[in-house]
Amino acid sequence: MGREVRAINDARVVTPDGILEGASIVLEDGRISGITARAERSGEAIDAAGRYVLPGMVDLHCDAIEKQLAPRPGVEVPEELAFMEMDRLFAGCGVTTGFHGVSIMAGRSRGVERGRRLCALVSRLAGEGLVRHELHLRCELPQEESVRAVEEVLGRGFARLVSVMDHTPGQGQFRDLEWFRRYWSGDGADEAQISAALAEAERSEYTIALDRVGRIASAAKKHGATLASHDDDTVERVEVLAGHGVDISEFPVNAASARRARELGHAVCMGAPNALRGVSSGGNLSALEAVEAGLVDALVSDYHPPSMLQAAFKLAREDVLPLPESVALVTGGPARAAGLSDRGGIARGAKADLIIVGGRAGIPTVTHTIVNGESRHAAG
């Protein structure tokens, strides 16, 4: 698929322990075979010319394929085109393992059947991509139809990660009802649909659908998928879900929930766009403040893959974290959370998934993306 790379020379190699200046990384059979202080002379070598070399980024949650499929409400492009555009976006941003967050939920621009189609699409075309593609199933607990569909997709072995969520207004992500109204309006819902959703929420007492959580947890365990929670808003919710085997807490909406999740051994994931901007778009926990408090294990793209690299360098530039630690939030941290022990760090024996980072107009820019020891993206 791409040109084989045998070595990367004159690199500023970012490892978990520090930065190696002027080093060479030797690649063999799709793995890192060594890191040396001398240049490896080879026709298949890349001269990094003093630029940073990082592990390829691991994105555990990216919804952007839904936007690629439907760039405007009610307008869809061919599914294969949406996938290939996402593939190129991942490669250009330095994401070498991307988890497509596919919502299985009824209503608004999404739909259960469309979710099924996207799952099948990712499974069918994953091997055709420039980068590694994985599936992150998102299950809407209040909807029995969603739960049944997620059980079905898990049974087919499509997904490595599944999250349980509840978008009922008045709690979780949508505690602020005015934010709920703006969000749904931007997602194509009309006033009648928004009013109906708010009326239904008023009639329903919010509870965690424990029987449905148990069903999804059982299916995830049976088929080898990691289980995540979504938008945890209370310590009690975190504790209840922990009893069902949750390993990841995605986007906790307040510091107390994030702190309790970490105490219970969950990996806490926050949005890279949130960290880059310094504020949550929905008025919830600031990812930047959560990182400063030591509450974050991984940053994910959520809806904007370019934010991952930018957030990592921002955290280092503003002295929030040393660069090796900020890079770990988009590489080794998410890899560990998903049980991917063979990537996310530059070390002997790891997968040769690497990126070279330069700069343009003061912005960190990916100049090369290497996957499985092959050059898959080059931009000068």
Side-chain angles (χ1 to χ4, degrees):
M1 178 176 289
R3 178 173 68 90
E4 182 182 20
V5 179
R6 300 298 299 275
I8 304 173
N9 296 328
D10 190 19
R12 301 182 73 187
V13 180
V14 180
T15 75
D17 301 318
I19 301 174
L20 305 178
E21 301 284 351
S24 292
I25 304 174
V26 184
L27 314 180
E28 185 176 358
D29 297 328
R31 300 273 176 172
I32 297 172
S33 62
I35 305 172
T36 71
R38 61 182 178 83
E40 293 291 326
R41 302 300 175 189
S42 167
E44 295 82 29
I46 294 176
D47 183 0
R51 289 171 289 191
Y52 288 105
V53 177
L54 279 56
M57 293 188 291
V58 178
D59 185 3
L60 295 183
H61 183 130
C62 182
D63 300 346
I65 193 169
E66 295 177 340
K67 181 60 71 175
Q68 292 288 351
L69 178 63
R72 283 186 175 180
V75 176
E76 289 195 2
V77 302
E79 294 172 353
E80 293 79 6
L81 175 60
F83 178 88
M84 290 304 176
E85 285 302 305
M86 273 306 309
D87 182 51
R88 292 202 309 164
L89 180 58
F90 276 149
C93 293
V95 173
T96 54
T97 300
F99 283 72
H100 295 279
V102 177
S103 296
I104 307 291
M105 60 186 298
R108 307 198 331 271
S109 62
R110 293 161 171 161
V112 171
E113 287 308 314
R114 194 182 83 165
R116 281 195 176 102
R117 294 201 326 265
L118 281 175
C119 291
L121 177 75
V122 172
S123 177
R124 176 166 56 87
L125 295 184
E128 303 292 327
L130 297 170
V131 304
R132 305 180 193 275
H133 293 266
E134 300 285 355
L135 181 61
H136 172 169
L137 278 175
R138 304 180 60 199
C139 178
E140 186 70 8
L141 288 174
Q143 300 175 357
E144 175 63 23
E145 184 182 6
S146 171
V147 175
R148 288 197 303 268
V150 168
E151 289 174 317
E152 172 194 320
V153 176
L154 282 170
R156 294 179 181 177
F158 283 178
R160 189 187 290 270
L161 177 61
V162 58
S163 57
V164 290
M165 57 189 187
D166 185 339
H167 285 93
T168 303
Q171 54 83 41
Q173 179 182 359
F174 295 126
R175 291 179 303 160
D176 182 338
L177 294 182
E178 183 55 36
W179 162 241
F180 169 82
R181 183 180 292 277
R182 293 197 305 271
Y183 186 95
W184 265 43
S185 177
D187 200 30
D190 58 28
E191 185 59 35
Q193 291 172 312
I194 293 171
S195 296
L198 291 171
E200 179 61 29
E202 288 180 2
R203 288 194 295 270
S204 303
E205 180 182 356
Y206 166 62
T207 58
I208 301 173
L210 293 182
D211 58 329
R212 291 172 176 167
V213 174
R215 285 164 55 188
I216 296 302
S218 177
K221 182 176 181 179
K222 180 178 179 180
H223 299 289
T226 300
L227 183 63
S229 59
H230 188 82
D231 294 333
D232 294 329
D233 59 354
T234 66
V235 168
E236 292 75 18
R237 178 182 175 88
V238 171
E239 292 172 344
V240 168
L241 292 174
H244 286 273
V246 162
D247 291 311
I248 297 173
S249 175
E250 288 193 296
F251 317 124
V253 302
N254 53 54
S257 298
R259 187 171 294 107
R260 185 57 178 145
R262 292 201 92 221
E263 290 171 350
L264 292 171
H266 302 175
V268 172
C269 298
M270 296 293 289
N274 182 334
L276 181 62
R277 297 171 65 244
V279 63
S280 163
S281 60
N284 294 319
L285 177 63
S286 160
L288 182 58
E289 293 177 3
V291 170
E292 291 173 333
L295 297 176
V296 179
D297 298 282
L299 293 173
V300 300
S301 75
D302 196 2
Y303 52 87
H304 190 243
S307 288
M308 292 184 68
L309 185 68
Q310 304 308 316
F313 274 84
K314 172 186 175 173
L315 293 173
R317 185 171 60 250
E318 298 186 357
D319 294 324
V320 177
L321 292 174
L323 185 62
E325 293 182 26
S326 66
V327 165
L329 292 178
V330 294
T331 57
R336 285 190 297 274
L340 301 173
S341 60
D342 56 0
R343 69 199 76 175
I346 298 179
R348 185 187 301 273
K351 284 188 180 295
D353 293 358
L354 302 162
I355 60 175
I356 301 177
V357 177
R360 185 177 300 167
I363 297 174
T365 305
V366 176
T367 62
H368 296 77
T369 299
I370 298 161
V371 179
N372 202 39
E374 296 181 352
S375 177
R376 301 290 175 86
H377 163 81

